[in-house]
Amino acid sequence: MAIDMIERRGKLIPGATGDWEVIIGLEVHAQVASNAKLFSGASAAYGGDPNAHVSLVDAAMPGMLPVINRFCVEQAIRTGLGLKAKINLLSRFDRKNYFYPDLPAGYQISQYQHPIVGEGEVEVDLDDGGSVPVRIERIHLEQDAGKSIHDMDPDFTFVDLNRAGVALMEIVSKPDLRSSEEAAAYLKKLRAILRALGTCDGNMDEGSLRADVNVSVRRPGGELGTRCEIKNVNSMRYVAMAVEYEARRQIGVIEDGGRIRQETRLFDVKTGETRSMRSKEDAHDYRYFPDPDLLPLVLDPAWVKEIEASLPELPDARKQRLIAEYGLSSYDASVLVADGERTAFFEAVARGRDPKLSVNWVTQDFFGALNKAGLELARSKVDAAKLGGLIDLISDGTISGRIAKDVFERMFETGDAPGDIVAREGLRQVTDLTAIEQVIDAVMAANPDKVAEVREKPKAFGWWVGQVMKASGGKANPNAVNELLRKKLQID
Amino acid sequence: MTESRTAGLLGHTLAGALDGLKAKRFSATELTRAYIQAVEEARALNAFVLETPDKALAQAADADKRYAQGAPRPLDGAPLGVKDLFCTEGVRSTACSNILGNFIPTYESTVTAHLWRDGAVMLGKLNMDEFAMGSSNETSCFGPVINPWRRKGSAKALTPGGSSGGSASAVAADLCLAATATDTGGSIRQPAAFTGTVGVKPTYGRCSRWGVVAFASSLDQAGPIAKTVEDAAILLQSMAGHDPKDSTSLPIKTPDFRAACARSVKGLTIGVPKEYRAPGMPPEIEKLWAQGIAWLQDAGAAIKDISLPHTKYALPCYYIVAPAEASSNLARYDGMRFGHRAQGRDLVETYERSRGEGFGAEVKRRILIGTYVLSAGYYDAYYLRAQKVRTRIAEDFRAAFEDVDAILTPTAPSAAFGLGEKAGDPVQMYLNDIFTVTANLAGLPGISVPSAVDAQGLPLGLQVIGRALDEETLFAVAAALERAAGFSAKPTKWWS
Amino acid sequence: MSVIDKSTVRRVARLARIAVPEEHLEPLAQELSGIMAWIVQLEEVDVAGVEPMTSAVDVSLPLRADNVTDGGDPERVLCNAPRAEDGFFVVPKVVE
Ligand SMILES: [Mg+2]
Ligand SMILES: [Zn+2]
């Protein structure tokens, strides 16, 4: 196959003999969020007693036949549309033949020659606020394998087929990634899109999303090197670590005069290293051929249109809209669009309120508190109406920003309405000028030396504001305090 | 029960037996007992690999109850044999391979489930070539089936053909009223021709493949072997029908096949393909074919010479497509979840030994051929090319069926041959299917009708191939041939 | 096309996970070569522009609803296993 890649200079890795460029492509396996498996009626739920979610089809009993799950097909189409990819109205299923105890039929049903989804694109957001386009080669539907457990017996492997036959979407990128950071950012973006689409829950701990990482190195702009495939890496951090390790390993081998062998490797999370997989050594002749138990998958264009019309707003569009509608910074918008729930929360808060104030309260105070408490948004006692109410109290001068922080802390703990907290605890801001004047007089009477000092050194003015606010229990209106203090201390 | 009463019970056709049961001339239990005894007495034929008399009697008792209540089902109380390729719940199913060992399915194939739904009685599981790979029944792990027919004045054991040899022998020897069988390249029609029985391979997709051990998925079809065309129609009626568990099962209604047997062939055009005149074909078969043409003409059909130019490539095409699919279909027999597991030093050796020991020579040969033609670098030259040739073969038929309603050919290039006579050369053995394999490749229905005995006293069959889904015309033409041929010869009962 | 030699039989048998004793390789190679020599007549057929036929029925793939209708009975899938323990299939040690 001809290598189709974009020439783009990424981060270079210095070696002993000069700089190297790393070329990365990802094959991401995303589990379809379906009730039943791709070709059988057994449950696709995570967990369960061993072999409890297994039908006779999944166990490849003699004479068993596959029948495809319509919902899984729909999710592949939805995902394709979400990645701005071509939907192939005619696709086929092929058998990939190899022997392994967690592959009961001796073949995996996959789509080799005619995948359901063709080329697409993902805009990957980088930490520096920039972005790079990464092209999608294809998406196909295929079966997951079962689970082999090696540590239950020294001489035997135990096999659980609960995962066998669960529907996966394999999303294959072109080799457009140029650094470990980009690879991780790509996976992060893909996850956000899948979650927004609802086609995959993106739960990486449960293996719902995992990546095969193809890595090769070359001299900047030079001829492509031999690639190695690192199997089943299941977090963004591990993807970055695996790329980092593998690139340096390959550079080391080449600089020592060696050659890279095309192979499948395993990422060891304990050591952070990759190593060759023995079990895959002679598995390279998969003898793909069209599965004669299945017929061509022909999609009705009207169905595809219907799915397209039902697509939710996706992260990129959402981000652009947030920037345009609310005047948010690219960074704030990125933080919000990572998750549909968060966007919705922000928009509910910002409706009819100051967007800048809203975004600060939502992303910094509220998300910060959620993070600190390790709480999911949906389980927080503070809803958008309450947080919005708090912002209203600041805007209409009822409380100061400073007091608002305390009120928020209470709200977060108890779920009480901000107005109730303010009333109950007497936190209403004092705007009565005579009351503030009395406080100022008292502070001045107690600190005659400081009165003289501030006239010499205007920088000491901050201390005065602090003292007055403190004496008022934080309730004095800061603007009024400022104005009256200047008058009384005779500074301008 | 007297000897003659038993013999009388065994002489019935399926239609006749169902009439007798309905008229209460005998009970299902009586009929079943007679067949159980016949099966026991005929073990020399090696047609049954597992007898299930208890199950049969229980099913017969249920049938008798329904007759007593006046609510019988279509096949109530009819004792049948089941090819061991069909998985039967709680009853050992082996595909006649050591690799399945003592496999006892926890499920019932759709086709056999239809039979039990309709009240049929299971006498047991029938011998066959291992995984249905063979044309002489000699590859079975239980040893070959013996054809009840012998050459005049000879006691030499002949093959009943294959792979459904047990089904054909059992029906020919009156060990059951009819039997299920399967046909991937001719495995129903060739044994039917070798044993003087009727065999039908329906249109691909007519019968569900669910629960039938797969050989070559795009070619396999279940069908009946029976004593008469009408019996075959009755049995197929029950076996057929859409099954949502098989993605290749056709979502269509099953027509009234039995009624179609009574249709006239007047006005039909029958095609005679010149390519089926195989070099070295015995003159008697040539003669029978001409006779068949004359019979149909007499019955009012028009005859038309046609050409199916890619016929000679059908068999080599089949020997790429079928082994390729088989090599993958049989990968599940790995000793991990069921069946035979050999001792090995490690996983790979366990796989290799289990499969090396479990599969017989012919199955291994075909797995190796299939693996080879799919392997890297050969796929395009062999598998892809074969699939294109298959398209050509199907196009030949499509063109022919624009001018004709059915096609008449011999079923097999010879009569039954002796055991061991063709065992040395695989290709010679493969040539048995030369006239039948085209229908499998094109997915068309075909039927073999016993039409004559040759000079040695062995039966010969004629084949009718129909349009896809037009089994009705197939049954009409076959019934016309059957009436004209008046075939009534029976093998001499030498086995008990 | 190529004739099948001993090393090809060894490679293919390995792919198919079938033990073939060394002394059987040569006879098997000849047997398979004989079959392939007969099969190569397919090269005579003009297949230019011909679509491969992958199924014998002319309908599209039927789709089923996403309902859980099966599973939940481990014994049903384990009962024929040469070896099973604690609900698992037990197989020779797999080295990854
Ligand atoms: Mg992959
Ligand atoms: Zn994959």
Side-chain angles (χ1 to χ4, degrees):
Chain A
M1 201 179 68
I3 303 286
D4 168 16
M5 56 184 298
I6 292 175
E7 284 303 332
R8 176 169 62 79
R9 198 46 25 91
K11 197 181 78 171
L12 297 180
I13 300 178
T17 59
D19 285 346
W20 295 88
E21 188 177 26
V22 55
I23 309 291
I24 307 152
L26 259 63
E27 294 167 20
V28 173
H29 287 96
Q31 185 190 321
V32 177
S34 60
N35 298 318
K37 294 184 180 181
L38 181 54
F39 292 111
S40 88
S43 168
Y46 180 78
D49 286 342
N51 292 303
H53 301 163
V54 180
S55 78
L56 299 167
V57 177
D58 308 319
M61 290 290 162
M64 292 300 100
L65 297 170
V67 181
I68 200 168
N69 184 333
R70 185 179 199 269
F71 181 81
C72 297
V73 173
E74 186 179 334
Q75 302 321 298
I77 298 169
R78 187 181 298 279
T79 302
L81 293 169
L83 299 181
K84 293 171 263 178
K86 180 174 177 286
I87 306 302
N88 293 323
L89 296 179
L90 179 84
S91 66
R92 260 179 217 290
F93 288 89
D94 300 289
R95 291 185 184 177
K96 178 181 182 178
N97 296 282
Y98 64 96
F99 286 89
Y100 206 73
D102 64 16
L103 186 73
Y107 56 83
Q108 175 197 39
I109 305 177
S110 182
Q111 297 188 295
Y112 181 58
Q113 285 212 323
H114 303 279
I116 184 165
V117 178
E119 296 188 348
E121 193 174 274
V122 176
E123 194 68 27
V124 174
D125 308 306
L126 303 176
D127 276 348
D128 63 8
S131 69
V132 287
V134 172
R135 293 165 309 153
I136 299 297
E137 167 88 34
R138 57 186 281 158
I139 304 175
H140 61 256
L141 277 167
E142 64 182 24
Q143 299 173 299
D144 203 351
K147 206 166 86 184
S148 296
I149 302 159
H150 308 297
D151 55 9
M152 285 183 71
D153 188 293
D155 302 319
F156 291 93
T157 291
F158 284 51
V159 180
D160 173 12
L161 298 178
N162 282 351
R163 310 304 306 147
V166 166
L168 301 177
M169 298 177 282
E170 181 171 331
I171 305 164
V172 182
S173 85
K174 299 207 178 195
D176 288 352
L177 298 157
R178 293 290 178 274
S179 70
S180 57
E181 294 86 353
E182 287 183 12
Y186 165 75
L187 190 56
K188 185 175 168 194
K189 183 59 176 283
L190 201 55
R191 180 173 181 272
I193 295 172
L194 294 173
R195 284 171 56 85
L197 289 165
T199 57
C200 169
D201 66 21
N203 192 330
M204 301 192 78
D205 294 336
E206 293 179 0
S208 299
L209 197 67
R210 49 196 201 249
D212 297 343
V213 189
N214 288 296
V215 179
S216 67
V217 296
R218 65 170 182 182
R219 291 298 183 188
E223 207 166 295
L224 279 174
T226 304
R227 68 190 170 90
C228 290
E229 181 178 10
I230 310 159
K231 279 272 172 211
N232 274 342
V233 188
N234 66 355
S235 85
M236 331 255 177
R237 199 163 63 91
Y238 292 158
V239 164
M241 284 165 70
V243 168
E244 236 14 85
Y245 177 86
E246 181 61 17
R248 285 175 204 283
R249 182 190 72 85
Q250 291 184 13
I251 292 166
V253 169
I254 299 167
E255 292 191 330
D256 286 347
R259 286 184 54 181
I260 301 301
R261 202 161 58 100
Q262 182 163 349
E263 62 179 353
T264 304
R265 299 178 69 84
L266 202 68
F267 177 68
D268 187 331
V269 297
K270 286 188 211 104
T271 59
E273 295 174 355
T274 69
R275 65 178 162 85
S276 189
M277 271 180 95
R278 263 187 58 189
S279 57
K280 299 277 176 183
E281 262 169 14
D282 69 347
H284 291 300
D285 195 343
Y286 290 124
R287 290 156 286 135
Y288 286 99
F289 76 109
D291 191 328
D293 287 333
L294 295 163
L295 302 167
L297 175 58
V298 181
L299 303 178
D300 180 353
W303 187 32
V304 177
K305 279 223 170 69
E306 206 178 289
I307 297 169
E308 190 162 24
S310 76
L311 287 189
E313 186 182 43
L314 293 175
D316 284 334
R318 209 184 271 160
K319 181 175 166 184
Q320 289 318 311
R321 187 173 59 77
L322 292 182
I323 292 171
E325 239 172 73
Y326 300 97
L328 301 188
S329 71
S330 171
Y331 177 83
D332 283 343
S334 297
V335 170
L336 289 172
V337 300
D339 187 310
E341 257 185 322
R342 295 189 166 208
T343 312
F345 189 94
F346 163 73
E347 296 206 78
V349 171
R351 195 162 301 130
R353 300 191 177 95
D354 176 48
K356 187 66 204 160
L357 198 56
S358 299
V359 78
N360 286 344
W361 272 96
V362 170
T363 61
Q364 288 164 27
D365 298 274
F366 182 54
F367 292 170
L370 286 178
N371 273 350
K372 215 170 129 193
L375 205 63
E376 276 173 57
L377 189 147
R379 307 191 55 192
S380 161
K381 289 177 183 162
V382 175
D383 60 19
K386 286 176 187 160
L387 188 60
L390 180 67
I391 294 168
D392 290 342
L393 294 178
I394 303 167
S395 300
D396 68 13
T398 307
I399 56 174
S400 69
R402 171 69 204 84
I403 287 288
K405 306 270 176 190
D406 297 337
V407 175
F408 175 76
E409 229 170 84
R410 289 299 176 81
M411 282 166 67
F412 197 79
E413 267 167 39
T414 62
D416 290 344
D420 294 348
I421 298 171
V422 169
R424 191 169 63 227
E425 308 199 3
L427 299 173
R428 183 170 284 275
Q429 185 161 248
V430 178
T431 42
D432 176 351
L433 295 186
T434 47
I436 295 174
E437 245 183 301
Q438 282 169 13
V439 176
I440 292 174
D441 289 343
V443 175
M444 284 175 74
N447 299 285
D449 49 330
K450 296 269 184 188
V451 174
E453 189 192 329
V454 77
R455 288 189 182 135
E456 300 293 309
K457 281 199 295 185
K459 271 189 179 168
F461 184 67
W463 180 88
W464 280 95
V465 175
Q467 288 302 305
V468 175
M469 289 304 290
K470 197 173 156 192
S472 77
K475 291 182 284 184
N477 182 311
N479 287 333
V481 171
N482 249 295
E483 218 167 285
L484 280 174
L485 259 179
R486 281 182 195 283
K487 218 193 292 168
K488 290 241 169 202
L489 294 171
Q490 298 165 10
I491 49 175
D492 32 37
Chain B
M1 218 183 313
T2 65
E3 182 91 354
S4 64
R5 178 150 166 83
T6 305
L9 285 174
L10 298 176
H12 286 295
T13 61
L14 174 59
L18 290 170
D19 285 346
L21 287 164
K22 229 168 284 169
K24 304 207 163 66
R25 284 198 292 276
F26 43 82
S27 70
T29 303
E30 262 184 292
L31 186 67
T32 300
R33 279 195 201 286
Y35 274 105
I36 289 172
Q37 192 188 334
V39 168
E40 285 171 1
E41 287 171 1
R43 290 194 181 132
L45 295 178
N46 201 23
F48 279 81
V49 295
L50 185 74
E51 296 167 21
T52 55
D54 295 342
K55 188 179 173 80
L57 287 170
Q59 287 173 317
D62 287 345
D64 281 330
K65 252 177 248 160
R66 289 187 291 265
Y67 277 114
Q69 290 159 355
R73 299 177 183 174
L75 295 175
D76 237 343
L80 305 177
V82 174
K83 189 180 184 180
D84 207 25
L85 204 62
F86 293 83
C87 289
T88 42
E89 187 172 357
V91 176
R92 189 192 70 188
S93 305
T94 69
C96 292
S97 178
N98 283 322
I99 204 145
L100 270 155
N102 192 37
F103 179 69
I104 298 175
T106 54
Y107 50 95
E108 185 77 36
S109 84
T110 298
V111 163
T112 49
H114 285 176
L115 298 179
W116 318 141
R117 171 201 68 196
D118 288 349
V121 167
M122 178 164 85
L123 291 167
K125 303 299 287 288
L126 294 163
N127 204 347
M128 52 179 279
D129 280 297
E130 183 181 6
F131 281 105
M133 297 179 191
S135 299
S136 65
N137 229 292
E138 289 165 295
T139 71
S140 167
C141 73
F142 297 102
V145 180
I146 312 296
N147 194 331
W149 293 82
R150 288 172 164 179
R151 289 175 186 137
K152 255 182 226 155
S154 162
K156 183 171 173 43
L158 303 182
T159 171
S163 66
S164 308
S167 306
S169 259
V171 174
D174 289 332
L175 309 184
C176 53
L177 282 170
T180 69
T182 63
D183 190 316
T184 303
S187 282
I188 289 176
R189 292 158 288 160
Q190 180 252 21
F194 278 18
T195 56
T197 55
V198 176
V200 182
K201 183 208 90 81
T203 305
Y204 184 85
R206 181 69 90 182
C207 288
S208 169
R209 295 184 297 110
W210 193 90
V212 184
V213 172
F215 162 13
S217 309
S218 75
L219 301 160
D220 297 343
Q221 258 303 287
I225 289 182
K227 297 182 193 184
T228 66
V229 173
E230 186 183 33
D231 283 3
I234 293 169
L235 196 57
L236 182 58
Q237 191 80 39
S238 177
M239 293 168 74
H242 177 237
D243 181 4
K245 291 187 289 193
D246 174 358
S247 298
T248 63
S249 166
L250 294 165
I252 44 161
K253 282 188 84 145
T254 306
D256 187 340
F257 294 138
R258 191 174 186 178
C261 297
R263 278 193 201 171
S264 163
V265 298
K266 205 164 280 168
L268 293 182
T269 304
I270 307 299
V272 178
K274 61 171 192 268
E275 290 81 6
Y276 282 59
R277 239 165 274 276
M281 190 161 82
E284 284 177 298
I285 291 178
E286 187 91 41
K287 209 180 92 197
L288 174 64
W289 195 8
Q291 181 61 258
I293 292 167
W295 285 332
L296 291 177
Q297 253 169 337
D298 289 349
I303 302 298
K304 190 174 181 354
D305 286 326
I306 58 166
S307 174
L308 300 167
H310 295 89
T311 300
K312 79 175 268 212
Y313 302 109
L315 213 44
C317 172
Y318 172 86
Y319 274 94
I320 288 178
V321 174
E325 292 183 10
S327 70
S328 176
N329 281 337
L330 270 57
R332 67 188 56 199
Y333 305 100
D334 59 2
M336 296 296 133
R337 298 165 317 287
F338 49 80
H340 174 69
R341 182 189 291 180
Q343 201 67 33
R345 273 171 308 180
D346 55 20
L347 177 69
V348 170
E349 202 182 89
T350 305
Y351 276 137
E352 291 182 342
R353 283 201 183 161
S354 300
R355 291 165 61 80
E357 291 170 9
F359 291 132
E362 179 62 21
V363 171
K364 284 193 266 198
R365 195 180 286 141
R366 295 203 198 183
I367 291 175
L368 293 177
I369 291 272
T371 305
Y372 175 70
V373 299
L374 289 176
S375 67
Y378 296 102
Y379 180 87
D380 286 5
Y382 291 124
Y383 189 75
L384 189 62
R385 171 166 282 267
Q387 295 282 48
K388 290 177 177 176
V389 172
R390 191 175 176 186
T391 301
R392 283 279 198 226
I393 290 162
E395 283 170 353
D396 284 355
F397 278 105
R398 211 166 295 138
F401 280 122
E402 286 185 7
D403 300 327
V404 302
D405 300 300
I407 293 168
L408 183 71
T409 78
T411 306
S414 75
F417 49 89
L419 289 178
E421 276 179 18
K422 293 188 180 180
D425 182 354
V427 173
Q428 278 309 305
M429 186 65 88
Y430 298 167
L431 289 172
N432 266 288
D433 291 336
I434 190 160
F435 299 143
T436 47
V437 74
T438 49
N440 299 85
L441 288 169
L444 304 175
I447 187 168
S448 177
V449 186
S451 305
V453 288
D454 68 5
Q456 294 180 301
L458 296 179
L460 297 172
L462 284 173
Q463 174 180 234
V464 184
I465 299 172
R467 291 191 182 97
L469 295 177
D470 191 12
E471 282 88 352
E472 287 162 281
T473 298
L474 203 71
F475 280 119
V477 175
L481 286 170
E482 186 181 51
R483 282 192 296 272
F487 183 90
S488 59
K490 292 292 268 182
T492 317
K493 194 172 171 187
W494 53 263
W495 54 88
S496 70
Chain C
M1 285 303 299
S2 67
V3 170
I4 299 179
D5 59 16
K6 228 171 111 171
S7 73
T8 305
V9 176
R10 197 183 284 116
R11 177 177 62 80
V12 171
R14 166 85 180 185
L15 267 179
R17 296 287 188 272
I18 292 178
V20 177
E22 186 64 27
E23 67 272 21
H24 290 181
L25 289 174
E26 188 53 49
L28 203 47
Q30 289 187 12
E31 210 171 76
L32 299 184
S33 295
I35 296 169
M36 292 313 293
W38 168 70
I39 283 173
V40 292
Q41 54 178 305
L42 287 185
E43 285 176 33
E44 299 164 11
V45 184
D46 179 10
V47 292
V50 177
E51 278 298 309
M53 179 168 165
T54 51
S55 58
V57 288
D58 198 17
V59 291
S60 165
L61 191 62
L63 311 174
R64 61 166 230 280
D66 181 31
N67 298 324
V68 175
T69 56
D70 210 337
D73 189 356
E75 186 48 30
R76 194 164 181 232
V77 295
L78 289 163
C79 62
N80 277 290
R83 193 164 168 181
E85 244 172 76
D86 301 334
F88 294 93
F89 292 100
V90 178
V91 305
K93 196 81 185 167
V94 176
V95 184
E96 276 194 290

